[in-house]
Amino acid sequence: MKKNILILGSGGRESAFVWKIKQDKNVDKIYCIPGNPGTKSFAKNINISLDNHKSILNFVIENNTPTCAEITIKNTTLLSLITTRLTINGHQINIHY
């Protein structure tokens, strides 16, 4: 079963992650919140604020990313809030710093 991947962030590091993850044959779709022009080349950028945890959770549920959400983010407080909400709702989280 192919995975849908969610990457949170908008920096150059996120662009590198998207480029590399896109090469994985086990990946179906890649989404970036909010993303940047570089991530747009290989993923679908979603215009949701990183501060809007409820909208991020709703996006994960609505876009069939229940098995894996790949999170790349520098803000550890935001990371904790988002991962807690996703984990409580039954989502597997892989975190990359």
Side-chain angles (χ1 to χ4, degrees):
M1 174 193 238
K2 291 190 172 189
K3 298 186 281 186
N4 291 337
I5 305 294
L6 170 62
I7 296 178
L8 300 176
S10 60
R13 182 174 59 164
E14 286 75 17
S15 295
F17 273 118
V18 170
W19 173 79
K20 189 61 179 174
I21 291 169
K22 185 69 175 173
Q23 298 171 21
D24 186 334
K25 293 178 183 170
N26 294 313
V27 172
D28 185 24
K29 297 176 185 170
I30 303 172
Y31 300 102
C32 290
I33 295 177
N36 63 48
T39 60
K40 188 176 181 179
S41 300
F42 302 101
K44 182 172 183 177
N45 289 345
I46 307 300
N47 189 21
I48 297 175
S49 169
L50 291 176
D51 295 325
N52 192 337
H53 311 138
K54 186 172 183 172
S55 290
I56 292 171
L57 177 59
N58 288 338
F59 178 84
V60 169
I61 293 167
E62 292 169 7
N63 290 279
N64 196 26
T65 56
T67 57
C68 184
E70 299 280 342
I71 299 178
T72 63
I73 193 164
K74 296 175 192 171
N75 183 328
T76 56
T77 303
L78 178 59
L79 175 66
S80 178
L81 290 168
I82 291 171
T83 56
T84 299
R85 286 188 180 220
L86 290 172
T87 303
I88 286 171
N89 286 278
H91 300 279
Q92 176 187 340
I93 308 299
N94 296 317
I95 301 169
H96 303 277
Y97 292 97

